[in-house]
Amino acid sequence: MKDFENYSLKEHNTFGIEAKCSRFLEYVSIEEAQQVAQILRESDIPYIIIGGGSNLLLTKDFEGIVVRSDVLGYYIDGDRITCGSGEVFDEVVEASLQAGLYGMENLSLIPGDVGASAVQNIGAYGAEAKDMIVSVEAVEIATGRLVTIQGKDCGYGYRQSKFKQEWKNRYLITHVTYQLSTTFEPHLDYGNIRAELERKGIKEPTAQQLRDTIIEIRNAKLPDPKVEGNAGSFFMNPIVSREKYVQLAAQYEGMPHYDVDADHVKIPAGWMIDQCGWKGKSLGRAGVHDKQALVLVNRGGATGAEIVALSDAIRKDVSEKFGIDIHPEVNII
């Protein structure tokens, strides 16, 4: 188990922001997770649990304990794959595909760890982790007990779960089990997947071709955090009433949208931010990516406070123009 004091978190957040924590604990097994749980129970200072740092914005030093999983490995049982919470999620997508298990292709290249997929209910191109998560194994911090929580009991919603709400800082996730399929059924009608496949002359893609295409699309519009610090999509796409959408669509011809149900519509936040003129613009050392307005970037040396200031300015403009409040997807600390 790693146990460091006055520890730099710069390598643990993809914005590349320099911040320190009082103590850093990293566990690699169930037993070490139980040791960490005991330390947290006996400590009188605050703590937070992080993953790969791809959904994290640090605004200051954290005067407390930061906990991270480095539980690795995975095993396949039929059409299920159980993974250590510290595994890189995209590597699990690749491993499942190589094993002839399908369903994760549309989630290709989403940054972060397996544990975060269960907390955040990650999603992209019409797919969400909740549709695949069978169970989550975790150590309950209050008791040190190893528990298994069924996916259906995790309260999953759009980028939400009980792990982010009432269960926040209650569990140390050790493993996640996903239910996949031995039959490949491509889902192509979200975003520009089908158009990109047609550009390549592919009408009926294989799972690998679909994964490769999604990776190419993401690489084309999302900056490499090693080059320009970012946390991917900074804002959640707002879900509004159908009445609100119809009202806006009458004002803004061609407004993109995705039907959620009979009464609700999802509107891309990136499109609204672009309509407000923010794409490619900067506010101090923080900026909006020039290819995807949903992504805020560290132009170099930006502080967390500068990125929050940019976020607030964007939210204000979107609210004034469209009458819609957009909310950060990232965890701001």
Side-chain angles (χ1 to χ4, degrees):
M1 180 176 70
K2 289 183 179 178
D3 186 349
F4 301 116
E5 294 185 355
N6 194 31
Y7 184 79
S8 172
L9 297 169
K10 187 172 184 178
E11 299 302 317
H12 294 283
N13 75 97
T14 55
F15 266 115
I17 290 173
E18 180 60 74
K20 293 183 177 181
C21 61
S22 301
R23 189 176 182 183
F24 179 82
L25 301 173
E26 187 175 80
Y27 58 94
V28 300
S29 65
I30 293 171
E31 293 74 22
E32 287 193 357
Q34 290 172 324
Q35 292 174 33
V36 170
Q38 182 175 352
I39 292 172
L40 297 179
R41 288 197 303 273
E42 295 174 351
S43 174
D44 60 356
I45 61 175
Y47 62 87
I48 57 173
I49 303 164
I50 67 170
S54 59
N55 202 46
L56 181 66
L57 176 59
L58 300 169
T59 60
K60 57 186 176 182
D61 288 344
F62 183 66
E63 301 297 329
I65 302 172
V66 171
V67 181
R68 182 182 182 276
S69 167
D70 195 32
V71 180
L72 303 178
Y74 64 87
Y75 66 88
I76 295 171
D77 181 11
D79 57 2
R80 294 184 175 187
I81 180 168
T82 297
C83 313
S85 54
E87 282 285 348
V88 174
F89 182 79
D90 189 59
E91 292 180 4
V92 170
V93 178
E94 176 68 20
S96 64
L97 189 150
Q98 294 301 320
L101 296 177
Y102 309 109
M104 286 186 165
E105 298 79 28
N106 289 38
L107 302 181
S108 291
L109 209 64
I110 292 181
D113 296 344
V114 162
S117 76
V119 173
Q120 183 73 5
N121 183 25
I122 60 173
Y125 298 106
E128 289 183 292
K130 72 176 180 61
D131 299 324
M132 304 158 205
I133 294 175
V134 175
S135 62
V136 179
E137 182 186 77
V139 170
E140 186 177 44
I141 294 173
T143 64
R145 293 185 307 117
L146 182 66
V147 299
T148 299
I149 304 168
Q150 299 304 306
K152 62 182 177 61
D153 297 325
C154 293
Y156 286 125
Y158 176 55
R159 304 297 180 269
Q160 291 294 333
S161 74
K162 289 183 178 180
F163 294 110
K164 287 185 69 176
Q165 303 298 331
E166 59 260 48
W167 293 350
K168 187 174 182 180
N169 288 346
R170 180 174 167 182
Y171 295 103
L172 299 176
I173 295 175
T174 58
H175 296 86
V176 180
T177 297
Y178 306 94
Q179 173 90 53
L180 302 177
S181 174
T182 55
T183 302
F184 174 55
E185 297 181 4
H187 298 282
L188 311 177
D189 294 321
Y190 201 100
N192 58 335
I193 297 175
R194 192 179 292 278
E196 186 62 22
L197 287 168
E198 289 177 355
R199 187 187 68 79
K200 294 180 175 184
I202 301 172
K203 292 185 177 180
E204 296 183 3
T206 64
Q208 188 63 55
Q209 286 174 324
L210 176 55
R211 171 169 162 77
D212 291 344
T213 298
I214 287 174
I215 288 174
E216 289 170 10
I217 292 171
R218 290 183 68 89
N219 279 332
K221 68 179 184 179
L222 297 175
D224 183 345
K226 295 177 182 177
V227 177
E228 195 168 37
N230 71 91
S233 298
F234 192 90
F235 298 100
M236 293 184 284
N237 293 319
I239 296 174
V240 302
S241 68
R242 187 165 295 277
E243 181 182 7
K244 176 68 174 179
Y245 163 71
V246 170
Q247 173 194 342
L248 289 172
Q251 299 178 56
Y252 302 98
E253 185 178 353
M255 170 182 271
H257 70 284
Y258 303 97
D259 292 333
V260 176
D261 55 37
D263 300 317
H264 298 90
V265 174
K266 184 186 296 183
I267 299 175
W271 180 85
M272 290 190 290
I273 295 168
D274 191 8
Q275 293 297 304
C276 290
W278 275 104
K279 183 186 283 188
K281 298 293 181 61
S282 295
L283 191 63
R285 295 173 292 184
V288 180
H289 189 47
D290 58 0
K291 293 181 180 178
Q292 172 52 270
L294 201 56
V295 178
L296 305 191
V297 296
N298 181 350
R299 299 289 192 203
T303 64
E306 287 177 293
I307 293 169
V308 169
L310 173 62
S311 167
D312 288 345
I314 291 170
R315 294 177 67 186
K316 178 176 180 292
D317 284 356
V318 169
S319 179
E320 290 179 351
K321 188 176 184 69
F322 296 100
I324 294 176
D325 293 327
I326 58 173
H327 299 280
E329 182 176 325
V330 302
N331 297 308
I332 300 174
I333 295 173

